C-alpha cells in the first residue's frame, strides 16, 4: 500500500514507563518490515534534551516542545509514568494544548496507564468512557477520571471513545498500540503486522 506517511508524536515526560514507550516505537517499526505497508513515522518529543524513564532508559527526543507543529501528526501517544520520578510534568498545560489541537484536527490520542490523566484535565473526556491504572499507592487515579467527567470502565483493559484510547496498565500497552494502528492503517495492515510479530489474534 503506497501513500502519505502517517505521523505519530510520542511525547515522553520524565519518569515515563519504559514498556509503554518502547511498545509504540517497536510495533510501528514493524510496518517497515515489508515494502508494501504504509509508512509510519514515530517522532519522539519532550521538554528536555534527555528524558529518563523509570527503569533506566534515557532518550534524546527528536524534537523539543517549541519545535512541534501539532498539525503534522495524525496521533499523539502519551505513555504513563511514575510521579516519584518526574512524571508530574505530564500535566503541563503545553501537553494539554497539543492534545487538544491534534484531536481537534481529527487525530487520535493514545495513552497508557496514568497517561490518560493529563488528557482528562483538558476536558476531552467529559461524558466519555475511559480507564486508567488502579493500583497507585498515593493517587486516586479512578477518582481523578471521575472528577474530570469521564465514565470509568472497570471491566475492559483497553477503552476507546471519541478517538481517545486508554488502558489499565503497562501489560495492556501492546493492545493500545495495535488498536491505534488499526485506526490509522486499517484492520488488514494491523493483522499482517501481528502475524509478522507472531502475535495473531
Amino acid at each position: 500500500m503506497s501513500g502519505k506517511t502517517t505521523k505519530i508524536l510520542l511525547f515522553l515526560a520524565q519518569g515515563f514507563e519504559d514498556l509503554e514507550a518502547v511498545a509504540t516505537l517497536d510495533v510501528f517499526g514493524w510496518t517497515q518490515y515489508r515494502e508494501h505497508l504504509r509508512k509510519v513515522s514515530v517522532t519522539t518529543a519532550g521538554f528536555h534534551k534527555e528524558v529518563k524513564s523509570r527503569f533506566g532508559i534515557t532518550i534524546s527526543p527528536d524534537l523539543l516542545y517549541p519545535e512541534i507543529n501539532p498539525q503534522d501528526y495524525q496521533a499523539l501517544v502519551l505513555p504513563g509514568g511514575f510521579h516519584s520520578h518526574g512524571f508530574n510534568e505530564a500535566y503541563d498545560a503545553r501537553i494539554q494544548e497539543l492534545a487538544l489541537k491534534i484531536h481537534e484536527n481529527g487525530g487520535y490520542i493514545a495513552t497508557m496507564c496514568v497517561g490518560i490523566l493529563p488528557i482528562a484535565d483538558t476536558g476531552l473526556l467529559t461524558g466519555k468512557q475511559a480507564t486508567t491504572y488502579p493500583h497507585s499507592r498515593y493517587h486516586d487515579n479512578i477518582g481523578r477520571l471521575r472528577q474530570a467527567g469521564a465514565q470509568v470502565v472497570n471491566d475492559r483493559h483497553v477503552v476507546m471513545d471519541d478517538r481517545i484510547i486508554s488502558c489499565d496498565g503497562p501489560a495492556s500497552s501492546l493492545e493500545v498500540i495495535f488498536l491505534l494502528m488499526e485506526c490509522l492503517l486499517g484492520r488488514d495492515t494491523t493483522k499482517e503486522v501481528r502475524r509478522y510479530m507472531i502475535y495473531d489474534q
Side-chain angles (χ1 to χ4, degrees):
M1 182 183 295
S2 60
K4 181 179 177 182
T5 299
T6 297
K7 295 183 177 181
I8 296 169
L9 185 68
L10 172 60
F11 201 99
L12 300 173
Q14 295 285 10
F16 67 86
E17 209 289 333
D18 303 53
L19 176 60
E20 295 168 4
V22 172
T24 308
L25 293 165
D26 187 271
V27 173
F28 280 105
W30 275 86
T31 62
Q32 301 171 26
Y33 191 61
R34 292 290 188 270
E35 290 294 328
H36 67 279
L37 295 173
R38 190 188 309 173
K39 294 180 181 179
V40 177
S41 171
V42 178
T43 300
T44 57
F47 291 131
H48 314 282
K49 291 182 180 180
E50 286 192 346
V51 185
K52 295 183 179 180
S53 73
R54 170 60 178 87
F55 298 118
I57 296 174
T58 299
I59 290 182
S60 298
D62 300 314
L63 298 177
L64 296 179
Y65 177 81
E67 302 171 301
I68 299 170
N69 180 359
Q71 294 183 346
D72 290 343
Y73 301 97
Q74 287 75 60
L76 169 67
V77 178
L78 184 62
F82 290 75
H83 296 87
S84 59
H85 287 69
F87 189 73
N88 285 333
E89 71 176 22
Y91 299 91
D92 190 296
R94 292 172 291 178
I95 294 181
Q96 297 172 23
E97 182 181 4
L98 272 178
L100 286 167
K101 287 183 177 178
I102 290 174
H103 192 264
E104 184 180 275
N105 291 336
Y108 290 82
I109 299 172
T111 70
M112 297 87 151
C113 196
V114 295
I116 192 63
L117 301 181
I119 305 304
D121 289 348
T122 66
L124 285 171
L125 291 179
T126 302
K128 308 290 174 41
Q129 293 188 341
T131 191
T132 189
Y133 185 70
H135 303 305
S136 294
R137 286 183 291 177
Y138 305 115
H139 300 87
D140 180 9
N141 302 327
I142 300 295
R144 184 158 185 168
L145 273 187
R146 288 201 177 101
Q147 288 176 0
Q151 298 176 13
V152 177
V153 177
N154 295 315
D155 60 351
R156 280 180 280 158
H157 295 298
V158 178
V159 176
M160 182 170 72
D161 195 345
D162 191 26
R163 305 192 316 278
I164 301 173
I165 305 172
S166 57
C167 79
D168 57 6
S172 302
S173 57
L174 276 175
E175 287 308 313
V176 169
I177 298 308
F178 281 126
L179 176 56
L180 178 62
M181 180 180 287
E182 186 170 328
C183 292
L184 293 172
L185 305 182
R187 183 171 296 178
D188 289 344
T189 295
T190 305
K191 185 175 181 180
E192 189 170 358
V193 170
R194 282 183 180 266
R195 180 167 61 85
Y196 294 145
M197 295 181 71
I198 314 298
Y199 198 80
D200 265 330
Q201 281 194 358

